[in-house]
């Protein structure tokens, strides 16, 4: 598909984002690279963000949807801004909304659609020759431990485990009663992979045509990760159904022998994205999966933008240290790319 070209600013001055997710890291990095910073912020979060001196201007809105109003968009354009999309932006705005934002967006905004849509997501992972968990088409086919997910669920909320048709139906009924789903069709079933859930953070630079592996993390999820604190007898006596709501992130350094595989997965991903959704994966992205007992990475998701796990590495990570001689967070890496692209007259390769 050929997409409309975005208006490329003559001289990008401001880096802007929405106040949530990884906004602090993004704007701190932008300031460190010499940009002005603009935060679009909900009124209720103003007190928090006012604490940080690297934010030059805060434009307040009542709720995230007001980001799309003319008034807000005019402010962004007037400041000659480049918008950095993140997880909250794609959770609260539709991908069509993001595609229609008049100000330039860092990275490939067309790929965000592929992150939101389960089928497109699977297509890109398959084309990238990533190993993915088996999808179970019908509840009648559940014959081993499975994880059941809601379409578009934010941060693992509402996921549950099922091991047969009955356990699937029991939990689906609970979600239905809580008005979280309209029918069982709102759920999809995936083989449960035992191992270490791992989030691999990358940056692809179209300017120097290189992939950088910048960090890894584990998510700490409530309450599945705290179940081990309760002895088995109590676990069995209270009927616990774990949830997977992300609360925070824990740093992870991989065995060095895994790194070759890490790079080759990310290279295949970038390559496939160039064919399927031009101009391809640009800037930050994350491959999300489980290392099983053989050390094989099974990818269950990807994020085609900065992930919150990168907030761990505001002053650089064990991997960014190997590439850069200054502290390089993912937020700063984005600003650095914009700066270099602008100097080389290549802004059109990093913005859409
Ligand atoms: P997600 O929202 O897809 O990132 O998943 C939230 C959490 O669910 C992950 O951090 C994992 O703990 C878990 N999870 C998701 N898919 C699988 C899977 N196929 N096997 C095992 N755990 C999974």
């Amino acid at each position: 598909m050929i997409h409309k070209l975005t208006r490329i600013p003559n001289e990008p001055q401001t880096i802007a984002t929405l106040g949530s997710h990884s906004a602090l890291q993004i704007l701190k990095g932008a300031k460190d690279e010499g940009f002005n910073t603009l935060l679009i912020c909900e009124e209720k979060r103003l007190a928090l963000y006012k604490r940080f001196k690297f934010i030059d201007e805060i434009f307040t809105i009542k709720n995230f949807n007001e980001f799309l109003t003319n008034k807000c968009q005019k402010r962004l354009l007037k400041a000659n801004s480049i918008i950095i999309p993140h997880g909250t932006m794609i959770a609260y705005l539709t991908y069509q909304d993001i595609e229609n934002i008049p100000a330039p967006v860092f990275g490939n905004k067309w790929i965000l659609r592929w992150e939101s849509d389960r089928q497109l997501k699977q297509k890109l992972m398959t084309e990238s020759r990533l190993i993915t968990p088996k999808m179970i088409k019908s509840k009648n086919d559940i014959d081993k431990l499975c994880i059941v997910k809601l379409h578009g669920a934010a941060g693992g909320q509402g996921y549950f485990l099922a091991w047969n048709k009955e356990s699937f139906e029991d939990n689906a009924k609970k979600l239905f009663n809580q008005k979280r789903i309209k029918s069982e069709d709102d759920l999809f079933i995936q083989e449960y992979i035992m191992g270490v859930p791992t989030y691999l953070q990358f940056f692809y630079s179209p300017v120097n045509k290189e992939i950088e592996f910048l960090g890894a993390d584990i998510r700490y999820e409530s309450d599945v990760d705290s179940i081990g604190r309760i002895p088995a007898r109590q676990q069995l006596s209270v009927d616990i159904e774990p949830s997977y709501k992300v609360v925070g992130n824990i740093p992870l350094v991989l065995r060095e022998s895994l790194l070759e595989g890490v790079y080759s997965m990310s290279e295949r991903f970038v390559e496939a994205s160039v064919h399927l959704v031009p101009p391809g994966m640009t800037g930050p992205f994350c491959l999300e999966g489980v290392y099983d007992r053989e050390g094989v990475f099974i990818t269950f998701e990807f994020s085609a933008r900065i992930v919150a796990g990168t907030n761990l590495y505001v002053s650089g990570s064990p991997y960014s240290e190997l590439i850069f001689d200054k502290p390089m967070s993912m937020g700063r890496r984005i600003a650095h790319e914009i700066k270099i692209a602008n100097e080389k007259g290549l802004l059109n390769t990093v913005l859409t």
Side-chain angles (χ1 to χ4, degrees):
M1 195 198 306
I2 304 293
H3 299 296
K4 270 196 318 252
L5 272 180
T6 297
R7 206 173 65 99
I8 304 297
N10 295 332
E11 190 59 41
Q13 286 160 349
T14 305
I15 289 195
T17 197
L18 206 52
S20 185
H21 192 266
S22 44
L24 290 171
Q25 186 211 144
I26 291 170
L27 297 188
K28 171 72 169 66
K31 191 87 236 158
D32 289 342
E33 289 293 311
F35 289 94
N36 292 337
T37 55
L38 167 61
L39 185 78
I40 311 297
C41 179
E42 283 185 309
E43 277 162 9
K44 64 179 183 209
R45 299 183 187 208
L46 186 60
L48 167 70
Y49 287 105
K50 265 168 60 179
R51 293 170 191 270
F52 301 97
K53 305 281 176 285
F54 54 83
I55 306 180
D56 297 317
E57 185 190 339
I58 300 185
F59 182 92
T60 48
I61 51 177
K62 283 205 179 61
N63 55 53
F64 288 132
N65 288 327
E66 280 195 8
F67 180 73
L68 300 168
T69 57
N70 274 344
K71 198 170 158 211
C72 182
Q73 291 300 317
K74 269 192 187 146
R75 183 69 205 100
L76 286 161
L77 287 170
K78 191 157 175 246
N80 234 348
S81 312
I82 292 173
I83 297 169
I84 315 300
H86 56 51
T88 303
M89 197 179 286
I90 67 163
Y92 283 88
L93 309 181
T94 65
Y95 58 78
Q96 291 99 325
D97 289 336
I98 299 175
E99 287 171 1
N100 290 322
I101 291 174
V105 172
F106 179 76
N108 178 357
K109 65 183 174 189
W110 314 106
I111 204 171
L112 299 174
R113 182 189 285 254
W114 289 65
E115 176 182 333
S116 315
D117 181 309
R118 289 278 167 201
Q119 255 129 33
L120 291 178
K121 180 172 255 180
Q122 188 60 39
K123 188 170 172 190
L124 182 44
M125 293 197 292
T126 308
E127 188 85 3
S128 310
R129 288 174 283 124
L130 298 173
I131 305 172
T132 55
K134 208 170 119 198
M135 301 297 258
I136 287 93
K137 288 212 174 71
S138 150
K139 62 184 179 185
N140 300 315
D141 301 335
I142 303 177
D143 59 357
K144 57 174 152 179
L145 190 62
C146 292
I147 183 162
V148 183
K149 303 185 177 186
L150 277 75
H151 286 286
Q157 256 174 310
Y159 289 8
F160 64 84
L161 299 180
W163 48 97
N164 54 25
K165 187 176 165 183
E166 289 70 36
S167 56
F168 173 90
E169 286 175 340
D170 285 351
N171 281 290
K173 204 163 150 194
K174 280 186 205 156
L175 288 176
F176 179 80
N177 291 338
Q178 293 162 4
K179 300 196 169 36
R180 306 277 306 270
I181 54 167
K182 291 203 178 76
S183 76
E184 288 181 359
D185 294 342
D186 291 343
L187 299 170
F188 71 99
I189 313 165
Q190 213 174 56
E191 168 192 18
Y192 185 88
I193 312 290
M194 279 298 285
V196 183
T198 303
Y199 293 74
L200 304 169
Q201 309 160 5
F202 302 93
F203 187 94
Y204 176 67
S205 162
V207 172
N208 62 22
K209 301 202 168 19
E210 266 174 32
I211 294 178
E212 295 153 12
F213 172 54
L214 290 182
D217 71 283
I218 292 184
R219 290 185 186 167
Y220 205 75
E221 294 162 354
S222 186
D223 42 18
V224 68
D225 287 317
S226 46
I227 280 175
R229 292 162 59 96
I230 307 171
R233 191 153 61 89
Q234 279 82 352
Q235 286 187 23
L236 292 172
S237 57
V238 269
D239 178 26
I240 303 174
E241 193 57 62
S243 62
Y244 293 80
K245 188 179 163 65
V246 181
V247 174
N249 305 78
I250 300 172
L252 181 73
V253 173
L254 297 173
R255 287 174 64 153
E256 197 155 311
S257 55
L258 293 174
L259 290 182
E260 216 181 311
V262 165
Y263 276 102
S264 80
M265 285 189 293
S266 62
E267 276 160 8
R268 296 199 303 271
F269 184 76
V270 170
E271 219 176 277
S273 70
V274 172
H275 297 302
L276 290 178
V277 48
M281 188 66 252
T282 302
F285 67 99
C286 182
L287 297 181
E288 315 179 354
V290 175
Y291 275 107
D292 72 6
R293 58 168 70 187
E294 315 296 338
V296 173
F297 191 76
I298 294 115
T299 312
F300 55 71
E301 287 271 2
F302 67 80
S303 295
R305 34 84 199 170
I306 188 169
V307 288
T310 60
N311 289 340
L312 285 165
Y313 306 118
V314 173
S315 45
S317 76
Y319 299 102
S320 71
E321 281 282 304
L322 302 172
I323 308 174
F324 300 97
D325 52 15
K326 56 184 177 186
M328 189 59 77
S329 68
M330 191 64 86
R332 186 168 185 176
R333 183 65 189 86
I334 294 169
H336 186 66
E337 185 78 359
I338 294 171
K339 197 162 106 179
I340 303 294
N342 188 38
E343 284 165 10
K344 297 191 170 179
L346 292 173
L347 263 186
N348 61 335
T349 64
V350 300
L351 306 178
T352 47

